[in-house]
Amino acid sequence: MAALTREPSARRRVDGRSHCELIRAIEQARGALLWVALRSLGNAEDAEDAVGRTALAAWRRREELDPKCAQAWLFGALRHSIGAELRSRER
């Protein structure tokens, strides 16, 4: 099952319970996300920023994001955030 649904007709109606599940998934994954970001970026401030950007991206996509797949999606989004940070350092 894909974490995001791109087709408007395939989107399911998201209620308050699903939002709570997403928040819970973000909170549960935060420590591991922070650890990965810190190991990849080597800087606590940049790691916190990357995790924050990841949580914000998840929240912005909450209507499309399946809470059951949220943890995998969060790690993928974090990977993209870390990559963007590393590319910006090269400039």
Side-chain angles (χ1 to χ4, degrees):
M1 173 186 266
L4 293 175
T5 56
R6 300 221 186 270
E7 299 173 25
S9 62
R11 289 183 187 161
R12 59 181 173 70
R13 187 173 194 88
V14 177
D15 58 13
R17 181 175 172 204
S18 294
H19 288 164
C20 291
E21 290 173 3
L22 177 58
I23 291 168
R24 190 174 309 114
I26 292 169
E27 289 173 348
Q28 288 175 347
R30 188 179 183 287
L33 292 167
L34 188 57
W35 184 84
V36 169
L38 185 56
R39 296 279 300 182
S40 299
L41 298 172
N43 176 310
E45 187 175 322
D46 290 344
E48 285 282 351
D49 288 346
V51 171
R53 284 191 302 271
T54 300
L56 180 59
W59 187 251
R60 287 181 175 160
R61 310 255 347 228
R62 68 187 175 273
E63 299 298 326
E64 304 165 3
L65 188 59
D66 181 349
K68 294 174 186 161
C69 301
Q71 189 170 8
W73 189 92
L74 288 165
F75 279 96
L78 178 65
R79 183 182 55 135
H80 289 286
S81 183
I82 290 169
E85 174 63 28
L86 293 174
R87 282 189 301 278
S88 74
R89 289 180 183 180
E90 293 174 358
R91 295 180 198 154

